[in-house]
Amino acid sequence: MSVAASPAPSLGDHLCENGFGCIEILPSTNDAHGGVIVDLKDPMDPQVFASLLKSSLLQWKKQGKDGVWIKLPIELVNLVEVAVKEGFCYHHAEPSYIMLVYWIPKTGCTIPPNASHRVSIGAIVLNNKKELLVVQEKRGRFHGIGVWKLPTGVVDAGEEIFEAAIREVKEETGIDTEFVEVLGFSQAHNSFFGKSDLTFLCMLRPLSFDIKRQELEIEAAQWMPFEEYAVQPFNQKHEPFKCIIELCIAKMERTYTGFCPRPISSFFSKDLNYVYLNSKDLHKSS
Amino acid sequence: MSVAASPAPSLGDHLCENGFGCIEILPSTNDAHGGVIVDLKDPMDPQVFASLLKSSLLQWKKQGKDGVWIKLPIELVNLVEVAVKEGFCYHHAEPSYIMLVYWIPKTGCTIPPNASHRVSIGAIVLNNKKELLVVQEKRGRFHGIGVWKLPTGVVDAGEEIFEAAIREVKEETGIDTEFVEVLGFSQAHNSFFGKSDLTFLCMLRPLSFDIKRQELEIEAAQWMPFEEYAVQPFNQKHEPFKCIIELCIAKMERTYTGFCPRPISSFFSKDLNYVYLNSKDLHKSS
């Protein structure tokens, strides 16, 4: 692709074909899978955008491109309708932008799916006196029913599961912890606009003991004797909570092995990731 | 909320206040958290929508509502700009619709986050001859480098992890399996538009042995002696793949315990979910 000299400020890229004049197309970069990405940042007149989009699609078809991605910041909301009228679909949106996508070939669409899951943690923090760190929340499904529950929270995109568990416990209760193990996990489906929730039950060891409750979300927090936690009628009634109690007991009696995080070099990247596995059994000689 | 008699076809809900005339507002339902949801399905003139949205917001503020959700199918893309100009943000989008959100109170925004993760499986299918079911893919990062890899695939929203593993193995290779255990899992961050990938390494037992390759995505599939899989230079070079080999060996020598799915009644729902845990250790007497 060559850029033609132009006296006027350029709205798009200029593509010169065989010396027979120039076609202006949208600025784009190639992705790693045979497609192009348009990442618009500056305002553009919708009619100019419509015209550039048409000529760009023709060029990309000629070039044999497949997926065309257009990322529009929310400030450029006036261009969304133009793209949809040209045949683009929504792919995903975040508060500040929308990503639109168009698949050029007639067959074999390989547009990757949008994120499908929210990931959460529940934190079992047991001290040496067999007291469990529990909270009551100011809102949500557990509010107002008098139940003392585990600290819980959402794992952000880009955050490690064990880091999220340590962070949430600290945020809600002020308690410092170190991560021990994932004791189990479960999914709940169709919980929020058709997405699935994946929750990791995490065991942590307390490193501090003075509770400083987060006032915005947490009504109360305390160290509660495990037996008192276990006999709450709510916990006796609901299977997932009975299961948490079972796992706590198994863990206190030291018979249960969960998954521990092990740092590992990423694949095709320089980042450090974590794999969670049963390291006790892995290193046991057969 | 009462609906006033109106000779003209109604565009929205009619809200009568103290007998002093009626205000037309958008049709909405209350959500379980003090907010309202507008689920528009029929075309509406953008100016009418703008006017209804303004009067609706005033009413919802008076009523003490907090979060306001507007779901617009892609056919109503001409209304997106109106909502954004009124102060709405994007919350999420799927191919066929966009969800916009507006938080009325000045403080304490509790709008739940959008889905943050994609969930995948990798399938270890080992037969009694210590042969591993492996494939070569027609596209993607593994294409063209000659590596034999595990069958892998994406867990859909609403799908169980063990079901996804069985389905993907069947789709790619035609092999029927039963699920044994999750041997471990890992996250990869910032892998796709800032989202995170969470991959579960699953052990499955083959129930059939004749391979029927899926022609669209799979270049080749075979039962490969485990030793031959393990010595592939690619597997020796990359830590995540060395880890898979380690786990296979630990499992073949029967020293490794992973997490098994156990059906469990859902919380606040009649659905059956699954919790994945180390059932061997859980039922071991202390």
Side-chain angles (χ1 to χ4, degrees):
Chain A
M1 191 185 293
S2 63
V3 178
S6 169
S10 175
L11 285 166
D13 283 0
H14 291 77
L15 190 73
C16 295
E17 282 198 313
N18 312 318
F20 294 102
C22 288
I23 305 155
E24 201 177 9
I25 67 165
L26 288 163
S28 68
T29 53
N30 293 323
D31 69 18
H33 309 279
V36 292
I37 304 173
V38 176
D39 188 1
L40 282 189
K41 292 194 162 65
D42 298 319
M44 187 181 288
D45 178 83
Q47 285 188 318
V48 173
F49 178 62
S51 159
L52 280 173
L53 188 54
K54 274 186 205 295
S55 57
S56 303
L57 280 172
L58 282 172
Q59 284 305 317
W60 294 325
K61 279 178 197 176
K62 278 189 198 170
Q63 290 168 7
K65 300 295 181 194
D66 45 29
V68 178
W69 300 86
I70 300 181
K71 185 176 178 180
L72 293 175
I74 194 164
E75 295 76 23
L76 305 190
V77 62
N78 63 330
L79 305 183
V80 175
E81 189 178 354
V82 174
V84 169
K85 282 188 173 162
E86 203 54 55
F88 279 74
C89 285
Y90 305 141
H91 184 268
H92 68 276
E94 294 294 326
S96 64
Y97 77 89
I98 186 162
M99 182 71 80
L100 297 128
V101 70
Y102 183 101
W103 185 251
I104 293 177
K106 298 284 180 218
T107 53
C109 176
T110 58
I111 293 169
N114 189 10
S116 55
H117 285 69
R118 292 190 307 167
V119 179
S120 304
I121 60 87
I124 296 175
V125 187
L126 264 166
N127 68 19
N128 288 336
K129 293 185 272 182
K130 293 193 176 176
E131 291 169 332
L132 191 64
L133 184 62
V134 291
V135 300
Q136 288 189 332
E137 290 176 351
K138 282 196 172 168
R139 54 171 83 224
R141 297 188 298 188
F142 287 90
H143 177 64
I145 54 172
V147 177
W148 291 93
K149 64 180 279 291
L150 302 179
T152 53
V154 172
V155 180
D156 299 325
E159 187 178 39
E160 261 315 310
I161 292 160
F162 76 90
E163 288 168 345
I166 291 169
R167 174 183 56 73
E168 284 287 349
V169 170
K170 178 74 178 174
E171 279 177 12
E172 292 194 357
T173 68
I175 299 296
D176 295 303
T177 56
E178 66 181 0
F179 191 83
V180 181
E181 277 174 354
V182 171
L183 302 190
F185 57 86
S186 64
Q187 283 195 109
H189 299 303
N190 210 4
S191 61
F192 181 62
F193 300 125
K195 301 291 180 178
S196 292
D197 279 333
L198 189 50
T199 304
F200 291 90
L201 187 66
C202 299
M203 182 95 200
L204 298 97
R205 188 176 297 121
L207 298 174
S208 73
F209 303 91
D210 291 339
I211 289 170
K212 280 178 196 156
R213 166 176 70 89
Q214 191 221 46
E215 297 196 359
L216 187 66
E217 292 175 2
I218 304 298
E219 184 78 41
Q222 65 161 311
W223 291 104
M224 176 181 265
F226 175 75
E227 288 306 323
E228 199 176 317
Y229 169 81
V231 298
Q232 291 182 106
F234 183 91
N235 285 349
Q236 293 292 326
K237 193 177 164 194
H238 295 287
E239 277 197 2
F241 297 88
K242 276 196 282 191
C243 184
I244 290 172
I245 293 166
E246 254 189 282
L247 284 165
C248 283
I249 293 171
K251 195 67 203 170
M252 285 191 289
E253 293 171 354
R254 298 177 189 284
T255 58
Y256 187 88
T257 308
F259 284 179
C260 292
R262 180 215 272 191
I264 203 166
S265 304
S266 283
F267 176 57
F268 287 138
S269 141
K270 283 180 184 166
D271 298 336
L272 201 64
N273 285 344
Y274 288 86
V275 58
Y276 293 73
L277 39 74
N278 175 346
S279 42
K280 197 170 84 181
D281 277 2
L282 193 62
H283 300 123
K284 201 188 283 177
S285 56
S286 58
Chain B
M1 191 184 293
S2 63
V3 178
S6 168
S10 175
L11 284 167
D13 283 1
H14 290 78
L15 190 73
C16 294
E17 281 197 312
N18 312 317
F20 294 104
C22 288
I23 305 155
E24 200 177 9
I25 67 166
L26 289 163
S28 69
T29 53
N30 294 323
D31 69 19
H33 309 278
V36 291
I37 305 173
V38 177
D39 189 1
L40 282 189
K41 292 193 162 66
D42 298 319
M44 189 180 286
D45 177 82
Q47 285 188 318
V48 173
F49 179 62
S51 159
L52 280 173
L53 188 54
K54 274 185 205 295
S55 58
S56 303
L57 280 172
L58 282 172
Q59 285 304 317
W60 294 325
K61 279 178 197 176
K62 280 190 198 171
Q63 291 168 5
K65 299 296 181 194
D66 47 28
V68 178
W69 300 87
I70 301 182
K71 185 176 178 181
L72 293 175
I74 194 164
E75 294 76 23
L76 305 190
V77 62
N78 63 329
L79 306 183
V80 175
E81 189 178 355
V82 174
V84 170
K85 282 188 172 162
E86 204 52 55
F88 279 74
C89 285
Y90 305 142
H91 183 270
H92 68 275
E94 294 294 327
S96 64
Y97 77 90
I98 186 162
M99 181 71 80
L100 296 128
V101 72
Y102 182 101
W103 185 250
I104 292 176
K106 298 284 179 217
T107 54
C109 175
T110 58
I111 294 169
N114 189 9
S116 56
H117 285 68
R118 292 189 306 167
V119 179
S120 303
I121 59 89
I124 296 176
V125 187
L126 264 166
N127 67 19
N128 288 336
K129 293 185 269 181
K130 293 193 176 177
E131 291 170 332
L132 190 64
L133 183 62
V134 291
V135 299
Q136 288 189 332
E137 289 175 354
K138 282 196 172 169
R139 54 171 82 222
R141 298 187 298 187
F142 287 91
H143 177 64
I145 56 173
V147 176
W148 291 93
K149 64 180 279 290
L150 302 179
T152 54
V154 173
V155 180
D156 298 324
E159 186 178 40
E160 263 314 311
I161 292 161
F162 76 88
E163 288 168 344
I166 292 169
R167 174 183 56 73
E168 283 288 350
V169 169
K170 178 73 178 175
E171 279 177 14
E172 292 194 356
T173 67
I175 298 296
D176 296 303
T177 56
E178 65 181 1
F179 192 83
V180 181
E181 277 176 352
V182 171
L183 301 189
F185 56 86
S186 65
Q187 283 194 111
H189 299 302
N190 210 5
S191 61
F192 180 63
F193 300 126
K195 302 291 181 176
S196 292
D197 280 332
L198 189 50
T199 303
F200 291 89
L201 187 65
C202 300
M203 182 95 199
L204 298 98
R205 187 176 297 121
L207 298 176
S208 72
F209 303 91
D210 292 338
I211 291 170
K212 281 178 197 158
R213 166 176 71 89
Q214 191 221 45
E215 297 197 358
L216 188 65
E217 292 175 2
I218 304 298
E219 184 79 40
Q222 64 160 310
W223 291 103
M224 177 182 264
F226 174 75
E227 288 308 321
E228 198 176 319
Y229 169 81
V231 299
Q232 291 182 107
F234 183 91
N235 286 349
Q236 293 293 327
K237 192 176 165 195
H238 295 287
E239 277 196 2
F241 297 87
K242 276 197 281 191
C243 184
I244 291 172
I245 293 166
E246 255 189 281
L247 284 165
C248 283
I249 292 170
K251 195 66 203 171
M252 284 191 289
E253 293 171 354
R254 298 177 190 282
T255 58
Y256 187 88
T257 309
F259 284 179
C260 293
R262 179 215 273 191
I264 204 166
S265 304
S266 283
F267 176 57
F268 287 138
S269 140
K270 284 181 184 165
D271 297 337
L272 201 65
N273 284 344
Y274 288 85
V275 56
Y276 293 72
L277 40 73
N278 175 346
S279 43
K280 197 171 84 180
D281 277 1
L282 192 62
H283 300 123
K284 202 187 283 175
S285 57
S286 59

